[in-house]
Every structure is written in structure tokens, then in C-alpha cells.
Amino acid sequence: MTFLISIILAIVIIFIGRDFIKKHSKLCYALSTIISISLIVASYSGALSNVSPFIKEHILPLFTKSTFATSLFVVVMYTGAFKNGSKLMKFLMPIRAELSIIASILTLAHNIIFGRYHFVILFTNPKSMSINMLLAAIISVVLMAIMFPLMITSFPSIRKKMKYKTWKKIQRFAYLFYGLIYVHVMLIMLPVATTGNSQYILNVLIYSLVFITYAVMRINKALNKKSSTKVQATIN
């Protein structure tokens, strides 16, 4: 349910604040950094345990569990899956890089907060971890390794200094990144969902619907582009 709320929140913020995000991207990055640092400090200091039950159950998970950041990544990935020239693509494409950077900054807080335990165990005593959590932690490390280059090359100042082909090759890793996000989430949620936990079952269904639909849309777009290219080559 948290993921669904995050998606709705992300869509509302984007449609209301699209122009603000574009014009004041640096301010948005700064705010995202402040939120991330605040969550990390509050987590490590134990302050998060003192917040009200409502905030702990309904607000914090949007950020500490990275559901809001993932929702921003969902918008970024769907933007590339929409039909070229469509209204949604034209609306979202101008802020696609900005959303990706904001999502990456917020994701760092999630990894630092949970890495405090899971990454330490991964590198010191991996045998003590269940197989699903071990794989989830390994995938998390891989995700971070992919995310950093994607985030850095999303900054216009960096992109301008790169050759287009090099930049494009790096950005293609985004597809692997999106796929691994889904696998990472499933490794954590499926074992709990199989016990009959209704909230986790719902989350699994929503994540699956969102990511599988994207995969179908993106593959279909790629096939249509390939078919169109062949037709054009035949005509020429």
C-alpha cells in the first residue's frame, strides 16, 4: 500500500511542480539532500524511534524504505516507454534527468540507513543471512554501483562534456537498474507475502503490475521502432 501511496504522491507533485522542478532543480537537489541527511542522522541517533506512531507507520516508510524514490524512478522509466511525441512524454521528458537525480539522492538515505545493518552483515558474516536477504543485499550493492554513474551523467554539466555514444552506453544500464529494483523488492516481499500477509501481497501485486507493464510497453516500443526502421530501409 505504501508503494501505491508513493506513486500517487509522486504523480501529484510532478504535475503540480513540473515547472518548479525544472527552473529550480538545484534547490530540489538541496532539499532532497537535506531530507536524506536528516533521515540518516535521525536513524543513527535513534530519534526515529521517538516519532509518533502515525509518522512512523505512514510517513517515514515513504523515504526510509525508498518507496517514494522508487516511484520517481517509475515515472522516469515510464517516460521512456511512452510513445514518442505523446503528450505525457512531452510533459515529462524535460524533467526526466532532474527526477532521476532527486530519486538517486533519496535512495542513498535508504541504503545508508539499512546498510548500517545489512551491508555490515553482508561483508562480515554473510552465512548468518537468509538466502533471500543475502541476495537482496548483494543486488542492493550492484544497484548502487549502477546508480552512481547514471546519476552523475544525468547532470547537464557532465553530459555536455561526454561523447553522446559514451553517455548513451552508460544510460542503457538504466534498464538493468530498473529490472534489479524489481528483483530486489520481490526478494524482500515475496517470503512475507507467502505467509498470507495481506499488505505484502498487495505490495507484490502493485510492484509486479507496475514493472511488468513497463517491461511490456518498453519491449513493444523497441519492436515497433525496429519494424519501422526495416520498413524505412526497404522504401529507401
Side-chain angles (χ1 to χ4, degrees):
M1 194 66 178
T2 305
F3 184 49
L4 180 59
I5 294 172
S6 294
I7 291 177
I8 294 172
L9 179 61
I11 291 173
V12 171
I13 290 175
I14 289 167
F15 275 84
I16 293 176
R18 171 185 176 270
D19 294 338
F20 181 88
I21 293 171
K22 188 63 182 178
K23 292 179 182 178
H24 305 286
S25 58
K26 291 182 180 178
L27 175 59
C28 292
Y29 303 154
L31 289 173
S32 300
T33 301
I34 290 171
I35 291 172
S36 292
I37 292 175
S38 298
L39 287 171
I40 293 167
V41 172
S43 174
Y44 276 63
S45 66
L48 290 184
S49 59
N50 297 322
V51 299
S52 68
F54 177 81
I55 293 176
K56 186 181 294 184
E57 293 177 17
H58 302 288
I59 305 299
L60 286 179
L62 301 182
F63 299 98
T64 57
K65 293 186 177 180
S66 199
T67 52
F68 181 69
T70 300
S71 296
L72 292 180
F73 279 128
V74 165
V75 174
V76 171
M77 70 188 200
Y78 266 84
T79 300
F82 290 136
K83 184 179 179 181
N84 291 342
S86 65
K87 289 183 179 180
L88 273 175
M89 191 175 197
K90 288 181 178 179
F91 182 83
L92 294 170
M93 189 58 76
I95 60 168
R96 194 184 189 198
E98 287 80 2
L99 293 177
S100 179
I101 293 168
I102 292 170
S104 297
I105 294 172
L106 294 175
T107 298
L108 287 174
H110 164 72
N111 280 275
I112 293 173
I113 290 171
F114 283 89
R116 178 185 182 186
Y117 173 76
H118 294 292
F119 288 162
V120 171
I121 298 298
L122 173 64
F123 292 109
T124 60
N125 188 22
K127 292 182 179 180
S128 66
M129 303 178 76
S130 61
I131 185 64
N132 65 300
M133 292 307 297
L134 175 63
L135 292 174
I138 292 172
I139 288 176
S140 187
V141 173
V142 175
L143 282 168
M144 293 295 289
I146 297 173
M147 188 184 76
F148 277 115
L150 290 175
M151 178 179 71
I152 293 171
T153 55
S154 290
F155 285 97
S157 58
I158 301 297
R159 180 177 176 177
K160 290 177 181 177
K161 296 178 181 179
M162 300 177 65
K163 292 181 179 179
Y164 177 75
K165 288 184 177 180
T166 302
W167 177 84
K168 194 67 176 177
K169 286 180 180 178
I170 293 174
Q171 290 298 313
R172 287 190 186 283
F173 278 97
Y175 300 123
L176 176 60
F177 181 75
Y178 302 146
L180 287 177
I181 287 177
Y182 177 68
V183 175
H184 174 74
V185 171
M186 289 301 104
L187 283 169
I188 295 172
M189 292 194 170
L190 269 177
V192 182
T194 55
T195 65
N197 186 301
S198 58
Q199 183 175 345
Y200 276 77
I201 292 174
L202 181 60
N203 277 331
V204 166
L205 291 175
I206 294 173
Y207 271 101
S208 297
L209 177 63
V210 169
F211 279 84
I212 293 174
T213 299
Y214 162 74
V216 172
M217 288 176 62
R218 195 65 189 84
I219 292 171
N220 184 60
K221 183 176 180 178
L223 292 175
N224 287 337
K225 182 180 179 180
K226 187 176 181 180
S227 177
S228 179
T229 302
K230 285 184 178 180
V231 170
Q232 190 65 37
T234 302
I235 295 174
N236 294 336

